[in-house]
Amino acid sequence: MVKKWTVTIPQLTGTEPRRAYIYLPESYDFDTERWYPVLYMFDGHNVFFDWDATYGKSWGLKEYMDATQTQMIIAAVECDRSPDNGRLSEYSPFDFSDPEWGSFQGRGRITMDWYVEEFKAFIDAHFRTVPDREATFIAGSSMGGLMSLYAVAAYNDVFSGAAALSPSLWVSPQKLYQLIRETRFAKGTRVYLDYGSEEVEFHSDMIKQFARVTQLLLEKHVLVTSRIVPGGDHSEASWEKQAPFYMEALLFENG
């Protein structure tokens, strides 16, 4: 089942309401002694239902989780959907400028502090979660993919794994590289990242940036799954098809 409710993030958008979502496995109601790992996700409106999604197509994760009987909770929050591109600011860890979109203050740390200190705390208090780092993951696409990489590095004491689909590596790549180089990743940290073969020319240095992030993570002994998706593009329909790959990368059994 998927439950919805309304939250505010005063540090970002004041009293403006936005939707929060939580997916609970079918076993949640009858297996009352069971506690579950949690995957936190960005762009919550795009995760479960087509009728909530920005472009009318979601990741379809409720159907995937039910069909595979994956025993994990998914908690997600809608982004800032204001017409002034607030999403680009709250989903960027770094200040950046873009010829098309202009200049933005990166408020990613504010966003992640809220996710960790308030949203995760709420989820852990109200649902049967395993709150430990080893059972806590984060995922997103595009700017949400960039935020997932940022989160697993800057908040590595909270998240043991991240899935970054089509991450916006073009946003201040040197600062991202520096963050990865300076992070002391805990043993067993795992990262999934991918790009679609049809989107790799969106930015001139995308392939180099993708390869560089992969290399840096490997040098830090992170367990990396790095893919170019044949025929993949920058869309929810494409990201929906990657669920088996990033779920396996995040949930694989150690030893």
Side-chain angles (χ1 to χ4, degrees), residues 224-240:
V224 181
T225 302
S226 183
R227 301 173 61 234
I228 298 295
V229 178
D233 59 22
H234 202 83
S235 71
E236 278 71 25
S238 181
W239 299 324
E240 178 182 19

Side-chain angles (χ1 to χ4, degrees), residues 109-176:
R109 177 165 287 279
I110 297 173
T111 301
M112 284 312 308
D113 283 348
W114 181 86
Y115 262 78
V116 170
E117 297 169 9
E118 299 188 41
F119 189 52
K120 183 180 186 301
F122 175 86
I123 298 299
D124 289 339
H126 290 84
F127 299 94
R128 296 196 312 275
T129 70
V130 179
D132 302 343
R133 174 188 179 275
E134 290 73 19
T136 306
F137 313 99
I138 195 160
S141 63
S142 194
M143 292 294 290
L146 173 66
M147 282 290 287
S148 298
L149 290 172
Y150 169 68
V152 80
Y155 298 78
N156 193 244
D157 60 328
V158 178
F159 303 100
S160 63
L165 285 71
S166 305
S168 298
L169 302 180
W170 52 271
V171 174
S172 301
Q174 296 301 326
K175 293 181 181 178
L176 178 62

Side-chain angles (χ1 to χ4, degrees), residues 42-71:
F42 299 100
D43 293 310
H45 51 291
N46 291 335
V47 173
F48 299 111
F49 304 118
D50 291 352
W51 53 83
D52 284 346
T54 302
Y55 302 109
K57 180 71 188 79
S58 72
W59 291 39
L61 271 180
K62 179 185 183 301
E63 288 75 11
Y64 174 83
M65 300 294 282
D66 286 346
T68 59
Q69 298 186 359
T70 302
Q71 299 301 299

Side-chain angles (χ1 to χ4, degrees), residues 165 192 194 227 229 232 238-247:
L165 285 71
Y192 170 96
D194 71 20
R227 301 173 61 234
V229 178
S238 181
W239 299 324
E240 178 182 19
K241 296 176 183 177
Q242 310 320 312
F245 299 97
Y246 64 78
M247 287 294 184

Side-chain angles (χ1 to χ4, degrees), residues 2-5 19-23 44-45 48 52 74-76:
V2 175
K3 297 182 177 182
K4 302 183 190 181
W5 70 101
R19 285 169 295 185
Y21 301 76
I22 190 163
Y23 167 84
H45 51 291
F48 299 111
D52 284 346
I74 300 177

Side-chain angles (χ1 to χ4, degrees), residues 57-115:
K57 180 71 188 79
S58 72
W59 291 39
L61 271 180
K62 179 185 183 301
E63 288 75 11
Y64 174 83
M65 300 294 282
D66 286 346
T68 59
Q69 298 186 359
T70 302
Q71 299 301 299
M72 181 169 66
I73 290 171
I74 300 177
V77 181
E78 185 178 16
C79 72
D80 180 355
R81 301 174 74 179
S82 62
D84 62 351
N85 293 311
R87 176 178 181 271
L88 295 181
S89 177
E90 74 177 28
Y91 280 7
S92 177
F94 318 110
D95 295 344
F96 73 100
S97 296
D98 180 80
E100 180 178 356
W101 302 107
S103 297
F104 294 88
Q105 176 189 4
R107 297 188 293 170
R109 177 165 287 279
I110 297 173
T111 301
M112 284 312 308
D113 283 348
W114 181 86
Y115 262 78

Side-chain angles (χ1 to χ4, degrees), residues 9 14 16 19 25 37 41 44 68 73 89 98 122 125 129 144 183 186-187 191 195 209 212 215 218 222-223:
I9 308 181
E16 184 71 23
R19 285 169 295 185
M41 295 191 69
T68 59
I73 290 171
S89 177
D98 180 80
F122 175 86
T129 70
T183 297
K187 184 178 180 180
V191 171
Y195 270 123
Q209 293 164 354
R212 183 60 176 149
Q215 177 187 4
L218 287 171
V222 172
L223 305 175

